[in-house]
């Protein structure tokens, strides 16, 4: 069974990263979600990634805050796509989580999205786009979703438009 694996560095990341779960569910994409840490539970992290790959994980989403480097640790253990979601809320205006996610050495990429809730949502959409490369039904669902977003925007605009 193909699925997306969502990993978070601590329970405090759940409220934000759960937004990714909601998007995946809305498209009917199966996912797993666990708490694991590149620093506090490195063996658990490595073992989970290996096991998840064997069971059908096609994309990994990793969320962590501060200078935690969960996405990088995941990318070091797999050649599957890894999407990093920097978490907000550190003393460094979240720049530490952004930099630790986006600054990867050559040959070990992590696709990095925005900090926080928007990033979690976009991580799910990016995972769906990756899966849709080999799934025409999912690809159509993405196109339909984009059309719905456009229709909603136009509808919202009509409630406030002032045109000459």
């Amino acid at each position: 069974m193909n699925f997306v694996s969502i990993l978070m560095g601590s329970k405090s990341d759940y409220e934000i990263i759960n937004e990714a779960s909601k998007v995946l569910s809305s498209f009917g994409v199966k996912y797993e979600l666990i708490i694991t840490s590149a620093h506090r539970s490195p063996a658990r992290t490595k073992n989970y990634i290996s096991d998840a790959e064997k069971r059908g994980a096609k994309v990994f989403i990793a969320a962590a805050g501060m200078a935690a480097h969960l996405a990088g640790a995941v990318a070091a253990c797999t050649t599957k796509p890894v999407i990093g979601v920097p978490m907000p809320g550190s003393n460094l205006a979240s720049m530490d989580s952004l930099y630790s996610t986006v600054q990867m050495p050559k040959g070990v990429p992590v696709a990095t999205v925005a900090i926080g809730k928007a990033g979690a949502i976009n991580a799910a959409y990016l995972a769906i786009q990756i899966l849709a490369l080999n799934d025409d039904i999912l690809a159509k669902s993405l196109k339909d979703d984009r059309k719905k977003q456009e229709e909603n925007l136009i509808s919202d605009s009509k409630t406030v438009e002032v045109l000459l």
Side-chain angles (χ1 to χ4, degrees), residues 7-40:
L7 302 88
M8 65 185 116
S10 68
K11 191 173 181 182
S12 64
D13 301 327
Y14 178 76
E15 186 177 326
I16 291 172
I17 202 60
N18 192 47
E19 295 298 321
S21 305
K22 293 175 187 177
V23 173
L24 294 169
S25 291
S26 74
F27 280 88
V29 173
K30 303 283 187 211
Y31 69 90
E32 290 186 348
L33 187 145
I34 70 161
I35 299 171
T36 191
S37 170
H39 302 97
R40 294 185 304 266

Side-chain angles (χ1 to χ4, degrees), residues 42-136:
R44 171 182 165 83
T45 302
K46 186 175 182 178
N47 292 337
Y48 172 77
I49 294 163
S50 176
D51 180 62
E53 281 188 323
K54 290 174 189 168
R55 294 182 295 105
K58 299 299 180 196
V59 180
F60 291 88
I61 297 173
M66 300 174 62
H69 206 295
L70 184 57
V74 173
C77 295
T78 184
T79 57
K80 303 284 188 206
V82 176
I83 305 166
V85 183
M87 291 286 108
S90 71
N91 293 329
L92 299 174
S94 305
M95 290 297 104
D96 49 348
S97 60
L98 174 63
Y99 290 149
S100 69
T101 306
V102 75
Q103 288 296 106
M104 290 296 298
K106 64 182 176 183
V108 188
V110 168
T112 307
V113 293
I115 298 167
K117 183 177 176 179
I121 291 167
N122 278 342
Y125 272 100
L126 182 54
I128 293 165
Q129 288 176 319
I130 292 166
L131 295 174
L133 291 171
N134 295 308
D135 185 330
D136 292 338

